[in-house]
Amino acid sequence: MNTPAKAPLTRQQVIDRAAELGITADRLRFFDEETINGEGGGSAVDEVEFSVSATELYDYTQLTDVALRSVREPAEGLFIAESSKIIRRAHAAGMVPRSYLTSPKWLFDLADLIAAYDAPIFIGTDAAVEALTGFHLHRGALAAMHRPAMDDVSQLVAKARRIVVIEDVVDHTNVGAIFRSAAAFGVDAVLVTPRCADPLYRRSIRVSMGTVFQVPWTRIESWPAGVDSLRELGFHVAALALEQDSVAIRDFAANAPERTAIVFGTEGDGLRRSTIAACDSTVMIPMSGGVDSLNVAAASAVACFALQTEPEAAL
């Protein structure tokens, strides 16, 4: 026998339940498809104060336009955290919310967290949320977060022993996967070059499982000239590349310098020739079966595993 679908919560039911959980009514902002179309919010007179204008939802517009969002978000000092799990990890890392976006059925999944802040909470119907963002939100919620200020490279790596440099990797999935490997294998910091994809783009964060909040990172503005800067800071800089004189990663790791930076190149062409020439050594991952290279995300996992300094027991 089919179970009848539950009726959606009314605005007043949401308001009452939120109050029980410590979320004050003045933070709640409701919207529907009419709001997205610029026609205003709810029609009931006693609900007008809880309605939201399309302008207030600007942080969440055109989320599927990668080129636009990649420019907008850094320029406007924000990033988007997607899903309850990612939002929790962002908060645990000290990130500060600008606002939250959810539907009534997901609001209370984050109530314990949301109650601790005073950021507005935008609550839309499923259709309105999809119309606004460009995709069906099935991971609970979104949060627009204040983008943290970038640390200076020397400050970031002051106490680091193992760091990763990502050169011009433009695929957000790969960037997120590299951060996940870096976190898993004890990398102390990650540096990204000027043309590298944004680690705080929504997809990068999601693929990293929120570890982009866990591993300290910043942009190294001058590259490959930055190799000299890292050397001056005490790092041996190793390029991951297939060269005539490349050393197997396991052999390099066996006697790796106390402070080592390993550089990964872009998906198609790998590292620039100028970068390889500037580095102190070149390392490779030996392979068989006629395979001469790995996806950069997979290669980063192998290299970070080999170079980990204090491995912990796996679950």
Side-chain angles (χ1 to χ4, degrees), residues 198-220:
D198 181 15
L200 288 181
Y201 181 69
R202 180 170 55 93
R203 185 166 180 77
S204 296
I205 297 171
R206 189 170 72 244
V207 172
S208 81
M209 292 298 292
T211 55
V212 68
F213 308 131
Q214 177 180 332
V215 182
W217 70 275
T218 194
R219 286 199 181 270
I220 184 166

Side-chain angles (χ1 to χ4, degrees), residues 226-241:
V227 172
D228 290 334
S229 299
L230 291 177
R231 190 177 295 113
E232 291 170 1
L233 290 169
F235 287 92
H236 178 101
V237 186
L240 188 71

Side-chain angles (χ1 to χ4, degrees), residues 29-38 40-41 51-63 69 72 76 78 80 98-102 120-124 128-129 131-133 142 144:
R29 299 288 185 272
F30 295 89
F31 67 98
D32 52 25
E33 288 182 277
E34 290 183 346
T35 307
I36 307 305
N37 295 326
S51 297
V52 61
S53 70
T55 302
E56 292 177 274
L57 296 167
Y58 181 68
D59 282 353
Y60 300 98
T61 58
Q62 299 172 292
L63 289 185
R69 296 297 304 198
R72 262 189 62 187
E76 296 172 12
L78 79 147
I80 299 295
R98 290 161 61 123
S99 65
Y100 303 94
L101 174 72
T102 187
I121 306 162
F122 301 121
I123 305 169
V129 170
L132 174 68
T133 63
L142 297 172

Side-chain angles (χ1 to χ4, degrees), residues 174 178 181 185 240-241 249 262-265 284-285 287 293-307:
N174 284 333
I178 293 170
S181 294
F185 299 120
L240 188 71
I249 186 67
I262 187 161
V263 189
F264 301 107
M284 67 170 182
I285 299 171
M287 292 175 242
S293 65
L294 294 174
N295 167 272
V296 65
S300 73
V302 173
C304 291
F305 171 76
L307 289 169

Side-chain angles (χ1 to χ4, degrees), residues 168-172 175 192-200 204 219:
D168 301 350
V169 174
V170 297
D171 184 275
H172 292 97
V175 170
V192 296
T193 64
R195 292 190 291 184
C196 186
D198 181 15
L200 288 181
S204 296
R219 286 199 181 270

Side-chain angles (χ1 to χ4, degrees), residues 10-274:
T10 66
R11 289 191 180 186
Q12 192 58 53
Q13 287 174 323
V14 172
I15 293 167
D16 292 344
R17 178 61 177 148
E20 293 173 3
L21 296 171
I23 301 172
T24 57
D26 62 316
R27 295 177 57 198
L28 305 180
R29 299 288 185 272
F30 295 89
F31 67 98
D32 52 25
E33 288 182 277
E34 290 183 346
T35 307
I36 307 305
N37 295 326
E39 300 173 11
S43 56
V45 173
D46 60 351
E47 293 180 343
V48 171
E49 64 180 297
F50 297 112
S51 297
V52 61
S53 70
T55 302
E56 292 177 274
L57 296 167
Y58 181 68
D59 282 353
Y60 300 98
T61 58
Q62 299 172 292
L63 289 185
T64 57
D65 189 329
V66 178
L68 175 64
R69 296 297 304 198
S70 295
V71 173
R72 262 189 62 187
E73 292 182 13
E76 296 172 12
L78 79 147
F79 68 89
I80 299 295
E82 178 186 358
S83 83
S84 300
K85 180 180 291 186
I86 297 300
I87 293 171
R88 288 187 181 280
R89 290 188 174 180
H91 281 78
M95 304 297 168
V96 180
R98 290 161 61 123
S99 65
Y100 303 94
L101 174 72
T102 187
S103 60
K105 65 182 179 183
W106 288 109
L107 170 63
F108 307 117
D109 186 51
L110 284 169
D112 61 312
L113 188 71
I114 291 176
Y117 294 85
D118 59 5
I121 306 162
F122 301 121
I123 305 169
T125 62
D126 288 343
V129 170
E130 185 169 351
L132 174 68
T133 63
F135 63 94
H136 178 65
L137 182 60
H138 60 276
R139 295 183 178 90
L142 297 172
M145 314 289 289
H146 289 283
R147 182 174 288 253
M150 292 286 93
D151 288 329
D152 176 76
V153 171
S154 60
Q155 178 183 3
L156 187 81
V157 304
K159 297 181 180 180
R161 297 173 61 193
R162 295 287 183 267
I163 66 174
V164 159
V165 182
I166 313 176
E167 179 187 272
D168 301 350
V169 174
V170 297
D171 184 275
H172 292 97
T173 298
N174 284 333
V175 170
I178 293 170
F179 267 87
R180 192 170 180 179
S181 294
F185 299 120
V187 170
D188 299 308
V190 174
L191 304 179
V192 296
T193 64
R195 292 190 291 184
C196 186
D198 181 15
L200 288 181
Y201 181 69
R202 180 170 55 93
R203 185 166 180 77
S204 296
I205 297 171
R206 189 170 72 244
V207 172
S208 81
M209 292 298 292
T211 55
V212 68
F213 308 131
Q214 177 180 332
V215 182
W217 70 275
T218 194
R219 286 199 181 270
I220 184 166
E221 295 299 335
S222 181
W223 190 262
V227 172
D228 290 334
S229 299
L230 291 177
R231 190 177 295 113
E232 291 170 1
L233 290 169
F235 287 92
H236 178 101
V237 186
L240 188 71
L242 190 60
E243 296 288 297
Q244 290 271 346
D245 59 349
S246 293
V247 177
I249 186 67
R250 66 171 70 91
D251 296 331
F252 177 81
N255 296 289
E258 177 68 17
R259 307 188 80 195
T260 298
I262 187 161
V263 189
F264 301 107
T266 187
E267 296 87 350
D269 300 325
L271 291 172
R272 304 181 204 173
R273 299 306 308 176
S274 56

